Structure formats: C-alpha cells, structure tokens
Amino acid sequence: MSRGSALRRLAAHEGRWLMSLGWWVARRRIGVAPGERALGYAGAQAAIVYGLTFVCVVETVGLGVLLAGKAVVHEVMLFVDVYTVLTVLGFQAAAVTRPHVLGAGELRLRDGARREIRIPLERIASVRYDLRFVREQQKDGGEVAELAVAGQTSVTVELTEPVVAVRLLGRRETVRTVRFHADAARAAVTAVRDGMAARAGALEAGGAPEAAETPEAGRAPEAAEAPGAAAAPVRQA
C-alpha cells in the first residue's frame, strides 16, 4: 500500500472516532437499522479507558502548572494533552456507538472505528461461547480474525466459506474463523443461532439464495453495501 493511501485511511479513521464522540453524547448508535439487534462490547474496556482518561487529565493539569511561565510551550502541550484525552475517549465512544449488529441476513462484527467484518448468516457453520485471551493468538493458523476487547474474546464463529477481512491500513486477510467479544456473550450466541435458524427457514421457504440486502436506514456513511457473495468483504466501520 502506498503512503498516500495509508494516510487517507488513517485520516478517515480519525474522522470516524471524532464523529463517534458526538454520537456518544447524543446517546445514538451508528449503523443499527430498525429491526436489527445491537450486541455491545464496550463494557469490558470501560474501566481501563476511564482510568487512563483520569491519568491524562491529571497530567494535563500538572504540566499546566509546571509550564505556567512558558506561554508557547504551555499552549503546545495543552493542545497535545487535550487531543490525547479526546483520543482516549474517542476510543470508547467508537466502541459504544458501533456495536456488533445482527441483522436478518448477516452478522456485522466491529472493532470500534477501525474495521467491520460482514458475515452472511448462511456462511456460519457454528457459533459458541469461547473465552480466550489475546496471548493465545499465536497458536492459531493464519485464517483466524480476532476482535479482542480488553485483551479477550468470548465468542467464536466458524465459517463454511471464508470471508475477506480488511485491516485499518488496507491489508486483506482470508479468514474462516472469527473471534470477537460481546458483553453478554452467551446471549449473543443464542441470538446468532436464532438468526441462523430464521435465515435457514426463510431460504427454505423461497427466500433469496444469497445474503439478504441490509436496510440502509441508520447505517453509517462508511458502511456501504457489501460486494457480491464471492468474497463477503470486510468494510471499515
């Protein structure tokens, strides 16, 4: 990937988490259409994020006192510290406003504002509660995507066909197993299984042979329709 493309992706990511701050204050969620179910995952990291925010605020006040006599340096450091606080809060805001989403035809798994994995329900072979920690990742093969929160995942999804996962900077990965965290992991597993059963019933009754179209209402601008079923791509959230 070229440097320019990487910079554009980073700039887009900055814009997404900044936008998430406004949605967080408004208590709204991005990309959850009527009739879809949101599966939250931000609770596991909340204590860490708020603790880090408190430390950053204390540092900002401390540096403000120490640099009171140096106007230029004080203003520069104040800008840096305030932006750092916003970045930390934006990390949490992106996770709160962009939950995982279970729709009628697909499961959309999100990693805050960094990426989104779209999985047609008919491609899911199994889903189960499976608590794991990030340090176990090195034991897995190269066809596993992990969307960890606070260093852990709690749900494992096995696929009958692979999907293509695109990372923040554009690197593409073919995955057959996706692990993610949900605050109510067992309830999330039950919901996905119910969605799979309903989807299978709809297909047997004469529904569309491919993944159903996802409603556009309430979707974030960056979460456009997925391309055809050949690769079931992952989109940036």
Side-chain angles (χ1 to χ4, degrees):
M1 171 178 291
S2 67
R3 180 176 300 179
S5 179
L7 289 176
R8 285 193 297 271
R9 284 181 172 272
L10 287 175
H13 174 255
E14 290 284 302
R16 287 193 295 271
W17 71 252
L18 283 170
M19 182 178 66
S20 296
L21 288 170
W23 284 70
W24 193 24
V25 172
R27 296 182 178 275
R28 298 178 64 186
R29 293 175 299 194
I30 298 172
V32 182
E36 295 183 329
R37 178 167 178 172
L39 307 174
Y41 56 88
Q45 67 186 24
I48 299 173
V49 171
Y50 296 143
L52 183 57
T53 301
F54 175 76
V55 171
C56 291
V57 171
V58 170
E59 180 192 23
T60 300
V61 174
L63 284 177
V65 173
L66 292 174
L67 300 175
K70 302 178 180 179
V72 176
V73 178
H74 177 269
E75 291 177 2
V76 171
M77 291 307 301
L78 179 61
F79 173 81
V80 171
D81 287 339
V82 170
Y83 192 79
T84 300
V85 171
L86 289 177
T87 300
V88 174
L89 290 177
F91 178 74
Q92 178 68 3
V96 172
T97 60
R98 287 177 165 82
H100 305 309
V101 180
L102 176 62
E106 68 178 5
L107 174 64
R108 300 200 303 277
L109 302 176
R110 285 143 152 202
D111 187 11
R114 291 178 292 277
R115 59 174 173 167
E116 177 179 284
I117 302 179
R118 304 168 74 96
I119 305 174
L121 293 181
E122 58 266 29
R123 292 197 183 189
I124 299 178
S126 66
V127 56
R128 65 183 184 276
Y129 174 78
D130 183 20
L131 183 61
R132 290 172 177 257
F133 294 91
V134 172
R135 64 174 179 270
E136 299 178 6
Q137 184 176 9
Q138 59 186 347
K139 300 178 183 179
D140 300 318
E143 296 187 332
V144 179
E146 288 192 329
L147 281 65
V149 178
Q152 67 180 17
T153 61
S154 53
V155 179
T156 295
V157 178
E158 303 283 354
L159 306 179
T160 58
E161 299 179 44
V163 296
V164 177
V166 182
R167 290 189 173 273
L168 176 60
L169 296 181
R171 184 161 65 91
R172 300 170 68 86
E173 301 174 332
T174 301
V175 298
R176 290 182 176 273
T177 300
V178 182
R179 298 188 181 123
F180 67 96
H181 176 72
D183 292 333
R186 297 184 190 277
V189 169
T190 300
V192 174
R193 288 174 177 170
D194 291 344
M196 292 168 59
R199 178 62 175 165
L203 292 178
E204 290 177 1
E210 300 296 337
E213 292 183 359
T214 305
E216 294 297 327
R219 178 176 297 180
E222 67 275 10
E225 286 188 6
V234 175
R235 293 298 183 88
Q236 295 292 331

